[in-house]
């Protein structure tokens, strides 16, 4: 019974970290990585 609970606990950890990794991968898939000190010129600078 103890081995079953340890297996269940390990499976739970794998599912949680795998879900988090897939979540971050899915979000970053469509994003553009840009330098923060030189952002893209999407809006003209107001002077």
């Amino acid at each position: 019974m103890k081995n079953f609970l340890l297996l269940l606990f390990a499976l739970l950890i794998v599912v949680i970290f795998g879900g988090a990794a897939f979540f971050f991968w899915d979000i970053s898939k469509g994003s553009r990585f840009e330098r923060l000190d030189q952002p893209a010129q999407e809006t003209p600078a107001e002077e």
Side-chain angles (χ1 to χ4, degrees):
M1 188 66 184
K2 184 180 178 183
N3 287 338
F4 177 71
L5 291 177
L6 288 175
L7 181 65
L8 198 62
F9 184 66
L11 187 63
L12 183 67
I13 290 175
V14 168
V15 168
I16 288 174
F17 280 102
F22 177 76
F23 178 75
F24 285 118
W25 172 77
D26 195 39
I27 284 181
S28 66
K29 187 169 53 174
S31 65
R32 297 173 308 180
F33 295 97
E34 300 168 350
R35 290 182 53 160
L36 295 179
D37 57 347
Q38 296 176 353
Q41 300 293 330
E42 294 180 357
T43 57
E46 299 181 62
E47 297 183 15

